[in-house]
Amino acid sequence: MKLLNKTAIITGGCKGIGYATAIKFLKEGANVVIIDLDQEEIEHAVTNLREYSERIEGFAADVTDKKRVETSIQFAIEQFGSLDILINNAGIVQDAQLLKMEEDQWDKVIDVNLKGVFLMTQSAALRMKEQKSGVILNASSVVGLYGNFGQSNYVAAKSGINGMTKTWARELGRYNIRVNSIAPGFVLTDMVKKMPEKVVNMMKEKSLLNEIGKPEDIANAYAFLASEEARFVTGTVLSVDGGLTP
Ligand code: NAI
């Protein structure tokens, strides 16, 4: 087991990639706390996740709310005694082309996808610094590497995550904290299911493997980066995209 007795927080863990990552981490022996917005959805997810292991808890928090973020970190430590891994997975899209984008769409996407990652990481890193070890993994996106039509708010956030990852890796390496990002390509989750079929088919054709990714593909990469097998990997943005960005 790659992650035996490690405690991981996974934001946005009720659905999609976050949920698949919770399953993978439980199978690898980790203690997992999922953080998400809705208490009922969390309870439902936790009940289902108990099929894989009893070492699963949930906590309702909006990652943009500093107080709740801090309480969520305390909660994980109270439940399992340490905090070893933070997966900043929660993210949203609100697409519009530049000429039509509302200020509110800009603010909301930047708030959740960028500020949320900052708040969670700062709060977690303070604890990890004390224990002189930790792993922080951020959800970027391939669009953060090459841009995307109608997604300037989302692209700004994901490019920002790549920059923060490299900066935090520099700042936190001295405390034995590794920081990396994963840039998924197209992965079949609710986020992608909302997109027009035409776009989804186009992305499939662009992939060198002629495939849309599965949440498990990203979960497996998170498990590798979180584990001791990746002990010498920090400050990197790993594309997991079926060759969308060769
Ligand atoms: P999803 O939409 O299926 O799930 C996101 C989860 O985050 C939901 O459970 C949602 O309730 C939660 N969430 C949203 N705002 C939150 C907040 N303020 N506080 C706490 N939780 C919040 O998303 P999916 O597709 O699983 O994506 C996960 C991450 O991967 C996101 O950061 C996304 O940008 C990124 N990503 C996804 C890709 C894809 O093709 N699905 C491609 C590239 C990146």
Side-chain angles (χ1 to χ4, degrees):
M1 283 188 178
K2 272 192 184 61
L3 303 170
L4 191 61
N5 296 330
K6 299 287 180 192
T7 299
I9 286 183
I10 303 172
T11 68
C14 275
K15 272 197 287 192
I17 294 169
Y19 185 78
T21 304
I23 293 176
K24 175 68 180 169
F25 276 44
L26 291 171
K27 284 182 176 172
E28 293 291 351
N31 311 311
V32 174
V33 176
I34 55 167
I35 291 179
D36 215 300
L37 293 172
D38 184 86
Q39 184 64 40
E40 263 181 45
E41 280 188 22
I42 292 170
E43 280 166 22
H44 183 67
V46 167
T47 303
N48 291 335
L49 287 166
R50 286 208 196 280
E51 183 192 324
Y52 301 93
S53 165
E54 286 296 312
R55 299 152 112 177
I56 170 76
E57 296 292 340
F59 191 86
D62 183 329
V63 294
T64 65
D65 179 337
K66 190 172 157 80
K67 282 230 163 66
R68 288 300 285 170
V69 161
E70 285 171 353
T71 315
S72 73
I73 304 283
Q74 276 164 18
F75 174 81
I77 293 167
E78 278 162 24
Q79 291 298 312
F80 295 117
S82 68
L83 174 61
D84 306 295
I85 302 157
L86 168 65
I87 312 270
N88 282 309
N89 164 76
I92 58 165
V93 283
Q94 287 197 11
D95 296 351
Q97 291 178 48
L98 170 66
L99 302 181
K100 292 186 179 161
M101 187 172 292
E102 304 286 343
E103 190 178 349
D104 185 54
Q105 286 176 298
W106 176 270
D107 287 345
K108 188 76 190 145
V109 168
I110 297 294
D111 226 30
V112 175
N113 295 7
L114 203 55
K115 184 180 164 188
V117 173
F118 156 67
L119 290 176
M120 287 296 309
T121 303
Q122 188 182 54
S123 195
L126 283 166
R127 300 304 185 118
M128 290 174 175
K129 180 187 165 196
E130 283 168 21
Q131 67 192 31
K132 286 207 172 309
S133 69
V135 179
I136 291 160
L137 300 174
N138 302 318
S140 180
S141 165
V142 287
V143 306
L145 299 169
Y146 65 86
N148 201 22
F149 196 89
Q151 288 198 312
S152 55
N153 50 358
Y154 185 75
V155 168
K158 296 303 188 185
S159 307
I161 284 178
N162 296 344
M164 295 194 306
T165 297
K166 290 178 185 297
T167 303
W168 293 337
R170 285 175 189 273
E171 293 179 0
L172 300 176
R174 76 194 73 165
Y175 307 120
N176 193 28
I177 300 171
R178 295 188 292 110
V179 188
N180 292 293
S181 291
I182 290 184
F186 250 49
V187 180
L188 203 56
T189 65
D190 285 358
M191 193 177 263
V192 163
K193 285 177 196 158
K194 284 179 206 151
M195 295 180 180
E197 208 184 322
K198 191 172 84 178
V199 177
V200 177
N201 286 337
M202 195 175 75
M203 287 302 156
K204 186 175 165 186
E205 280 164 24
K206 275 191 169 182
S207 150
L208 300 184
L209 302 175
N210 196 30
E211 270 195 54
I212 298 289
K214 296 181 195 143
E216 294 76 15
D217 296 324
I218 311 304
N220 289 340
Y222 276 131
F224 162 67
L225 285 175
S227 75
E228 266 302 291
E229 290 172 2
R231 58 169 288 278
F232 204 48
V233 184
T234 195
T236 199
V237 179
L238 175 66
S239 291
V240 183
D241 63 357
L244 210 57
T245 52

